[in-house]
């Protein structure tokens, strides 16, 4: 985009933050749902220039963080199978399962590869027809068009050695869980702009009405996020609760019709367990019956693993906004990006890792970037 | 497939979901797929509103090179620089 630098302009950020400060008359708690937004907020220090009345609560929108422990364990089991090529986004390699992580499986001799796109995994299946290739499909609605197209391509090409471990999750059911949780403090949402680029904005009006919350579709650059916050604060101050699109350069009301068509062909909605949160009804996508033969879980029998989380990890409280990452006693001590107790300390989009890399400490001061 | 320039790094990107994309368009790319063509008029309009409110400098400062992300999973905005034959020229 021609205007990328303007959307990162530090002086403009400060002026808009000051402008928001003149709009607020009381305290407001706003949740940014998307982990990419959390990363952008903490890296740019945007939360520290906002008026003190506006609190940002970091949401569960980090796919690496919410992929169920059981699914990680299944990935570890599949990756270790003889002759397997297991493909994953890089972030997933350090996510702790019950017994180690994918990096450990690779160190023990398994062929675990980092790919930038599911199409890379399809290409590997073509290149190595004598081996099984599994792609670990995690992600929100933004990532699903790529996963769906990869499966369809494999089906069209008759690739019998390609399959997928699918763990796709959906944003609107997570918003519902946050609003229905006891002790919820969230009064408004910044919805993830890139999710809406695929899905459009149609899921949000019913949530606005039911929970009486403003939902503002917001981009990921610092100025986008400030504009989303500004519009949210205006609604809150005026007592409105509507959907607004603050990211019109990318998001249309109907979303991407072609992507929705392919997703609808390849996937179907299912219940899914979110790490740190628990089971959420109708909160994920799995392969539709017509593509069930590409489901890695039905193709390979994996021994059931007795799953257990670290008792010291409070990532569930972080994901629902009950605590900030540095309020966890383990933060920065036994839990660091090198030795993560929970998934929120792994990904750049995880709130704990974002706080750690920005040098946030328990007293709220910036201590400078720590050496991880 | 097409080619997209991310601040100098050119990558193959699937353009199936953006049939309207023309060479020279800016697009949003996620895990190898373009998901949207960026509406430059809308981008400029938001900035115009900020400027009219006195919240931007008249001439935006260059705060750094566009697109500094290195994470292959990160969403990126890039310029379509090659599209398959059959697409209309810009």
């Amino acid at each position: 985009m021609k205007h990328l630098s303007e959307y990162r302009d530090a002086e403009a950020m400060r002026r808009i933050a000051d402008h928001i400060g003149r709009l607020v008359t009381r305290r407001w708690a706003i949740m940014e749902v998307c982990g990419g937004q959390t990363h952008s907020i903490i890296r740019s220090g945007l939360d520290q220039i906002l008026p003190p009345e506006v609190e940002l609560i970091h949401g569960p929108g980090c796919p690496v963080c919410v992929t169920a422990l059981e699914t990680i364990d299944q990935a570890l089991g599949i990756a270790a199978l003889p002759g397997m090529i297991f493909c994953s986004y890089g972030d997933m390699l350090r996510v702790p399962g019950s017994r180690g992580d994918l990096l450990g499986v690779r160190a023990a001799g398994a062929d675990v590869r980092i790919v930038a796109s599911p199409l890379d995994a399809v290409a590997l299946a073509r290149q190595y027809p004598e081996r099984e290739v599994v792609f670990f499909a995690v992600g929100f609605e933004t990532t699903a068009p790529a996963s769906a197209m990869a499966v369809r391509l494999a089906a069209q090409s008759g690739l019998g050695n390609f399959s997928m471990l699918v763990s796709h999750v959906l944003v609107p059911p997570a918003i519902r869980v946050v609003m229905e949780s006891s002790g919820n403090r969230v009064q408004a949402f910044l919805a993830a702009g890139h999710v809406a680029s695929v899905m459009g904005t149609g899921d949000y009006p019913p949530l606005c009405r039911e929970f009486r919350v403003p939902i503002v579709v917001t981009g990921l650059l610092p100025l986008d996020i400030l504009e989303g916050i500004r519009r949210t604060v205006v609604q809150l101050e005026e007592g409105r609760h509507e959907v607004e699109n603050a990211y019109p350069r990318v998001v249309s009301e109907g979303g991407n019709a072609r992507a929705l068509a392919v997703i609808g062909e390849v996937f179907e909605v299912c219940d899914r367990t979110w790490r740190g949160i628990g089971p959420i009804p109708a909160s994920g996508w799995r392969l539709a019956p017509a593509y069930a033969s590409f489901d890695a879980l039905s193709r390979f029998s994996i021994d059931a693993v007795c799953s257990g989380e670290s008792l010291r990890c409070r990532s569930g409280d972080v994901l629902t906004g009950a605590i900030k990452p540095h309020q966890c006693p383990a933060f920065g001590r036994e839990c660091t990006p090198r030795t993560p107790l929970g998934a929120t300390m792994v990904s750049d989009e995880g709130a704990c890792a974002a706080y750690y890399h920005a040098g946030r400490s328990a007293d709220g001061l910036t201590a400078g970037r720590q050496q991880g | 497939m097409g080619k997209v320039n991310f601040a100098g790094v050119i990558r193959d990107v699937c353009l199936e979901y953006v049939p309207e994309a023309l060479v020279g368009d800016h697009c949003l790319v996620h895990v190898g797929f373009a998901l949207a063509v960026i509406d430059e008029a809308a981008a400029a309009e938001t900035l115009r509103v900020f400027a009219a409110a006195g919240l931007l400098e008249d001439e935006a400062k260059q705060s750094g090179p566009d697109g500094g992300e290195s994470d292959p999973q990160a969403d990126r905005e890039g310029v379509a620089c090659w599209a398959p034959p059959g697409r209309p020229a810009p």
Side-chain angles (χ1 to χ4, degrees), chain B residues 56-88:
Chain B
L56 293 183
E57 304 282 356
D58 289 339
E59 285 184 52
K61 284 179 286 191
Q62 294 293 321
S63 53
D66 290 350
E69 304 289 332
S70 59
D71 176 4
Q73 236 194 306
D75 296 285
R76 289 156 147 251
E77 294 176 4
V79 191
C81 57
W82 181 86
R87 283 172 186 267

mmCIF file of all heavy atoms in Angstrom, chain B residues 56-88:
data_model
loop_
_atom_site.group_PDB
_atom_site.id
_atom_site.type_symbol
_atom_site.label_atom_id
_atom_site.label_comp_id
_atom_site.label_asym_id
_atom_site.label_seq_id
_atom_site.Cartn_x
_atom_site.Cartn_y
_atom_site.Cartn_z
ATOM 1 N N LEU B 56 -2.647 14.866 11.428
ATOM 2 C CA LEU B 56 -1.490 14.423 10.662
ATOM 3 C C LEU B 56 -0.698 15.638 10.194
ATOM 4 O O LEU B 56 -1.223 16.724 10.054
ATOM 5 C CB LEU B 56 -1.920 13.629 9.418
ATOM 6 C CG LEU B 56 -2.594 12.277 9.618
ATOM 7 C CD1 LEU B 56 -2.869 11.652 8.262
ATOM 8 C CD2 LEU B 56 -1.744 11.365 10.462
ATOM 9 N N GLU B 57 0.598 15.423 9.956
ATOM 10 C CA GLU B 57 1.387 16.448 9.282
ATOM 11 C C GLU B 57 0.845 16.606 7.866
ATOM 12 O O GLU B 57 0.245 15.690 7.316
ATOM 13 C CB GLU B 57 2.852 16.019 9.203
ATOM 14 C CG GLU B 57 3.488 15.683 10.530
ATOM 15 C CD GLU B 57 3.862 16.924 11.310
ATOM 16 O OE1 GLU B 57 3.688 18.036 10.773
ATOM 17 O OE2 GLU B 57 4.308 16.783 12.451
ATOM 18 N N ASP B 58 1.079 17.775 7.267
ATOM 19 C CA ASP B 58 0.629 17.942 5.889
ATOM 20 C C ASP B 58 1.326 16.946 4.974
ATOM 21 O O ASP B 58 0.719 16.336 4.108
ATOM 22 C CB ASP B 58 0.904 19.372 5.417
ATOM 23 C CG ASP B 58 -0.030 20.340 6.112
ATOM 24 O OD1 ASP B 58 -1.079 19.874 6.605
ATOM 25 O OD2 ASP B 58 0.293 21.532 6.191
ATOM 26 N N GLU B 59 2.619 16.818 5.189
ATOM 27 C CA GLU B 59 3.349 15.817 4.415
ATOM 28 C C GLU B 59 3.762 14.719 5.375
ATOM 29 O O GLU B 59 4.504 14.955 6.315
ATOM 30 C CB GLU B 59 4.586 16.431 3.762
ATOM 31 C CG GLU B 59 4.252 17.305 2.576
ATOM 32 C CD GLU B 59 5.500 17.819 1.905
ATOM 33 O OE1 GLU B 59 6.366 16.997 1.595
ATOM 34 O OE2 GLU B 59 5.602 19.040 1.725
ATOM 35 N N ALA B 60 3.276 13.526 5.122
ATOM 36 C CA ALA B 60 3.564 12.418 6.035
ATOM 37 C C ALA B 60 5.056 12.130 6.053
ATOM 38 O O ALA B 60 5.705 12.116 5.017
ATOM 39 C CB ALA B 60 2.802 11.184 5.601
ATOM 40 N N LYS B 61 5.563 11.924 7.256
ATOM 41 C CA LYS B 61 6.981 11.605 7.383
ATOM 42 C C LYS B 61 7.223 10.149 7.013
ATOM 43 O O LYS B 61 6.393 9.294 7.268
ATOM 44 C CB LYS B 61 7.445 11.846 8.824
ATOM 45 C CG LYS B 61 7.631 13.312 9.136
ATOM 46 C CD LYS B 61 8.052 13.492 10.570
ATOM 47 C CE LYS B 61 6.901 13.261 11.509
ATOM 48 N NZ LYS B 61 7.153 13.651 12.883
ATOM 49 N N GLN B 62 8.387 9.910 6.449
ATOM 50 C CA GLN B 62 8.755 8.526 6.175
ATOM 51 C C GLN B 62 9.332 7.951 7.455
ATOM 52 O O GLN B 62 10.442 8.265 7.849
ATOM 53 C CB GLN B 62 9.796 8.468 5.044
ATOM 54 C CG GLN B 62 9.259 8.932 3.710
ATOM 55 C CD GLN B 62 8.205 8.010 3.148
ATOM 56 O OE1 GLN B 62 8.298 6.804 3.250
ATOM 57 N NE2 GLN B 62 7.152 8.581 2.564
ATOM 58 N N SER B 63 8.563 7.113 8.128
ATOM 59 C CA SER B 63 9.028 6.620 9.423
ATOM 60 C C SER B 63 9.859 5.346 9.286
ATOM 61 O O SER B 63 10.405 4.853 10.237
ATOM 62 C CB SER B 63 7.840 6.368 10.344
ATOM 63 O OG SER B 63 6.908 5.540 9.699
ATOM 64 N N GLY B 64 9.962 4.827 8.117
ATOM 65 C CA GLY B 64 10.773 3.636 7.928
ATOM 66 C C GLY B 64 10.377 2.964 6.632
ATOM 67 O O GLY B 64 9.391 3.337 6.016
ATOM 68 N N PRO B 65 11.158 1.993 6.219
ATOM 69 C CA PRO B 65 10.814 1.298 4.976
ATOM 70 C C PRO B 65 9.502 0.546 5.143
ATOM 71 O O PRO B 65 9.215 0.009 6.198
ATOM 72 C CB PRO B 65 11.984 0.341 4.762
ATOM 73 C CG PRO B 65 12.582 0.165 6.122
ATOM 74 C CD PRO B 65 12.342 1.447 6.861
ATOM 75 N N ASP B 66 8.719 0.518 4.125
ATOM 76 C CA ASP B 66 7.455 -0.208 4.162
ATOM 77 C C ASP B 66 7.720 -1.701 4.311
ATOM 78 O O ASP B 66 8.617 -2.239 3.702
ATOM 79 C CB ASP B 66 6.668 0.030 2.873
ATOM 80 C CG ASP B 66 6.144 1.446 2.801
ATOM 81 O OD1 ASP B 66 6.226 2.160 3.819
ATOM 82 O OD2 ASP B 66 5.668 1.827 1.734
ATOM 83 N N GLY B 67 6.906 -2.338 5.122
ATOM 84 C CA GLY B 67 6.961 -3.792 5.188
ATOM 85 C C GLY B 67 8.222 -4.305 5.822
ATOM 86 O O GLY B 67 9.131 -4.755 5.142
ATOM 87 N N GLY B 68 8.351 -4.210 7.129
ATOM 88 C CA GLY B 68 9.541 -4.691 7.788
ATOM 89 C C GLY B 68 9.373 -6.056 8.421
ATOM 90 O O GLY B 68 10.232 -6.507 9.135
ATOM 91 N N GLU B 69 8.269 -6.700 8.158
ATOM 92 C CA GLU B 69 8.005 -7.981 8.821
ATOM 93 C C GLU B 69 8.904 -9.071 8.245
ATOM 94 O O GLU B 69 9.215 -9.080 7.070
ATOM 95 C CB GLU B 69 6.544 -8.388 8.604
ATOM 96 C CG GLU B 69 5.542 -7.364 9.061
ATOM 97 C CD GLU B 69 5.474 -7.242 10.567
ATOM 98 O OE1 GLU B 69 5.772 -8.235 11.235
ATOM 99 O OE2 GLU B 69 5.150 -6.156 11.051
ATOM 100 N N SER B 70 9.320 -9.987 9.085
ATOM 101 C CA SER B 70 10.129 -11.093 8.590
ATOM 102 C C SER B 70 9.434 -12.432 8.818
ATOM 103 O O SER B 70 9.871 -13.446 8.313
ATOM 104 C CB SER B 70 11.482 -11.098 9.288
ATOM 105 O OG SER B 70 11.308 -11.215 10.683
ATOM 106 N N ASP B 71 8.372 -12.427 9.581
ATOM 107 C CA ASP B 71 7.656 -13.668 9.877
ATOM 108 C C ASP B 71 6.862 -14.106 8.652
ATOM 109 O O ASP B 71 6.008 -13.372 8.176
ATOM 110 C CB ASP B 71 6.725 -13.418 11.063
ATOM 111 C CG ASP B 71 5.861 -14.629 11.369
ATOM 112 O OD1 ASP B 71 6.056 -15.662 10.714
ATOM 113 O OD2 ASP B 71 5.013 -14.514 12.256
ATOM 114 N N PRO B 72 7.156 -15.286 8.122
ATOM 115 C CA PRO B 72 6.444 -15.703 6.904
ATOM 116 C C PRO B 72 4.947 -15.863 7.122
ATOM 117 O O PRO B 72 4.173 -15.878 6.171
ATOM 118 C CB PRO B 72 7.090 -17.049 6.559
ATOM 119 C CG PRO B 72 7.715 -17.520 7.828
ATOM 120 C CD PRO B 72 8.094 -16.284 8.581
ATOM 121 N N GLN B 73 4.531 -15.997 8.400
ATOM 122 C CA GLN B 73 3.113 -16.166 8.658
ATOM 123 C C GLN B 73 2.395 -14.822 8.736
ATOM 124 O O GLN B 73 1.173 -14.761 8.693
ATOM 125 C CB GLN B 73 2.935 -16.883 9.998
ATOM 126 C CG GLN B 73 2.113 -18.139 9.870
ATOM 127 C CD GLN B 73 1.687 -18.619 11.222
ATOM 128 O OE1 GLN B 73 2.496 -18.821 12.108
ATOM 129 N NE2 GLN B 73 0.400 -18.794 11.399
ATOM 130 N N ALA B 74 3.171 -13.753 8.877
ATOM 131 C CA ALA B 74 2.541 -12.457 9.098
ATOM 132 C C ALA B 74 1.758 -12.024 7.868
ATOM 133 O O ALA B 74 2.149 -12.282 6.740
ATOM 134 C CB ALA B 74 3.607 -11.424 9.426
ATOM 135 N N ASP B 75 0.657 -11.372 8.111
ATOM 136 C CA ASP B 75 -0.076 -10.782 7.013
ATOM 137 C C ASP B 75 0.770 -9.666 6.420
ATOM 138 O O ASP B 75 1.422 -8.928 7.122
ATOM 139 C CB ASP B 75 -1.379 -10.195 7.525
ATOM 140 C CG ASP B 75 -2.277 -11.269 8.065
ATOM 141 O OD1 ASP B 75 -2.853 -11.985 7.253
ATOM 142 O OD2 ASP B 75 -2.368 -11.389 9.291
ATOM 143 N N ARG B 76 0.741 -9.581 5.104
ATOM 144 C CA ARG B 76 1.568 -8.580 4.472
ATOM 145 C C ARG B 76 0.795 -7.906 3.351
ATOM 146 O O ARG B 76 -0.064 -8.493 2.732
ATOM 147 C CB ARG B 76 2.807 -9.244 3.856
ATOM 148 C CG ARG B 76 3.766 -9.716 4.876
ATOM 149 C CD ARG B 76 4.584 -10.815 4.296
ATOM 150 N NE ARG B 76 5.914 -10.739 4.877
ATOM 151 C CZ ARG B 76 6.965 -10.358 4.201
ATOM 152 N NH1 ARG B 76 6.877 -10.006 2.953
ATOM 153 N NH2 ARG B 76 8.141 -10.332 4.773
ATOM 154 N N GLU B 77 1.178 -6.693 3.135
ATOM 155 C CA GLU B 77 0.638 -5.987 2.006
ATOM 156 C C GLU B 77 1.763 -5.840 0.990
ATOM 157 O O GLU B 77 2.862 -5.450 1.326
ATOM 158 C CB GLU B 77 0.101 -4.619 2.454
ATOM 159 C CG GLU B 77 -1.102 -4.789 3.389
ATOM 160 C CD GLU B 77 -1.629 -3.489 3.950
ATOM 161 O OE1 GLU B 77 -1.114 -2.423 3.561
ATOM 162 O OE2 GLU B 77 -2.547 -3.542 4.775
ATOM 163 N N GLY B 78 1.499 -6.190 -0.258
ATOM 164 C CA GLY B 78 2.525 -6.134 -1.290
ATOM 165 C C GLY B 78 1.928 -5.703 -2.611
ATOM 166 O O GLY B 78 0.724 -5.523 -2.733
ATOM 167 N N VAL B 79 2.783 -5.542 -3.608
ATOM 168 C CA VAL B 79 2.336 -5.078 -4.919
ATOM 169 C C VAL B 79 2.370 -6.232 -5.908
ATOM 170 O O VAL B 79 3.391 -6.890 -6.056
ATOM 171 C CB VAL B 79 3.270 -3.964 -5.450
ATOM 172 C CG1 VAL B 79 2.648 -3.311 -6.679
ATOM 173 C CG2 VAL B 79 3.557 -2.946 -4.386
ATOM 174 N N ALA B 80 1.240 -6.491 -6.558
ATOM 175 C CA ALA B 80 1.223 -7.506 -7.607
ATOM 176 C C ALA B 80 2.095 -7.019 -8.755
ATOM 177 O O ALA B 80 1.898 -5.921 -9.270
ATOM 178 C CB ALA B 80 -0.207 -7.747 -8.078
ATOM 179 N N CYS B 81 3.112 -7.803 -9.121
ATOM 180 C CA CYS B 81 3.999 -7.339 -10.186
ATOM 181 C C CYS B 81 3.941 -8.253 -11.396
ATOM 182 O O CYS B 81 4.514 -7.976 -12.422
ATOM 183 C CB CYS B 81 5.427 -7.179 -9.685
ATOM 184 S SG CYS B 81 6.136 -8.645 -8.975
ATOM 185 N N TRP B 82 3.293 -9.363 -11.263
ATOM 186 C CA TRP B 82 3.097 -10.228 -12.427
ATOM 187 C C TRP B 82 1.823 -11.017 -12.208
ATOM 188 O O TRP B 82 1.581 -11.538 -11.137
ATOM 189 C CB TRP B 82 4.269 -11.201 -12.607
ATOM 190 C CG TRP B 82 4.099 -12.069 -13.814
ATOM 191 C CD1 TRP B 82 4.457 -11.779 -15.084
ATOM 192 C CD2 TRP B 82 3.485 -13.365 -13.856
ATOM 193 N NE1 TRP B 82 4.110 -12.813 -15.932
ATOM 194 C CE2 TRP B 82 3.513 -13.793 -15.206
ATOM 195 C CE3 TRP B 82 2.916 -14.195 -12.916
ATOM 196 C CZ2 TRP B 82 2.994 -15.022 -15.615
ATOM 197 C CZ3 TRP B 82 2.395 -15.422 -13.321
ATOM 198 C CH2 TRP B 82 2.446 -15.828 -14.663
ATOM 199 N N ALA B 83 0.998 -11.073 -13.205
ATOM 200 C CA ALA B 83 -0.223 -11.879 -13.123
ATOM 201 C C ALA B 83 -0.260 -12.764 -14.349
ATOM 202 O O ALA B 83 0.345 -12.446 -15.380
ATOM 203 C CB ALA B 83 -1.449 -10.974 -13.056
ATOM 204 N N PRO B 84 -0.946 -13.887 -14.259
ATOM 205 C CA PRO B 84 -0.973 -14.815 -15.400
ATOM 206 C C PRO B 84 -1.559 -14.143 -16.634
ATOM 207 O O PRO B 84 -2.379 -13.234 -16.513
ATOM 208 C CB PRO B 84 -1.893 -15.943 -14.919
ATOM 209 C CG PRO B 84 -2.009 -15.777 -13.460
ATOM 210 C CD PRO B 84 -1.769 -14.351 -13.154
ATOM 211 N N PRO B 85 -1.172 -14.631 -17.835
ATOM 212 C CA PRO B 85 -1.760 -14.094 -19.057
ATOM 213 C C PRO B 85 -3.276 -14.258 -19.014
ATOM 214 O O PRO B 85 -3.788 -15.184 -18.412
ATOM 215 C CB PRO B 85 -1.168 -14.963 -20.160
ATOM 216 C CG PRO B 85 0.059 -15.567 -19.574
ATOM 217 C CD PRO B 85 -0.200 -15.682 -18.108
ATOM 218 N N GLY B 86 -3.962 -13.360 -19.631
ATOM 219 C CA GLY B 86 -5.417 -13.439 -19.632
ATOM 220 C C GLY B 86 -6.026 -12.393 -18.726
ATOM 221 O O GLY B 86 -7.190 -12.056 -18.851
ATOM 222 N N ARG B 87 -5.211 -11.900 -17.764
ATOM 223 C CA ARG B 87 -5.719 -10.814 -16.933
ATOM 224 C C ARG B 87 -5.547 -9.494 -17.689
ATOM 225 O O ARG B 87 -4.548 -9.286 -18.353
ATOM 226 C CB ARG B 87 -4.947 -10.729 -15.620
ATOM 227 C CG ARG B 87 -5.378 -11.791 -14.644
ATOM 228 C CD ARG B 87 -4.459 -11.785 -13.454
ATOM 229 N NE ARG B 87 -4.795 -12.902 -12.588
ATOM 230 C CZ ARG B 87 -5.632 -12.818 -11.572
ATOM 231 N NH1 ARG B 87 -6.185 -11.659 -11.268
ATOM 232 N NH2 ARG B 87 -5.908 -13.864 -10.840
ATOM 233 N N PRO B 88 -6.495 -8.611 -17.554
ATOM 234 C CA PRO B 88 -6.384 -7.334 -18.249
ATOM 235 C C PRO B 88 -5.194 -6.525 -17.730
ATOM 236 O O PRO B 88 -4.843 -6.626 -16.566
ATOM 237 C CB PRO B 88 -7.703 -6.633 -17.923
ATOM 238 C CG PRO B 88 -8.260 -7.351 -16.736
ATOM 239 C CD PRO B 88 -7.743 -8.740 -16.791
#
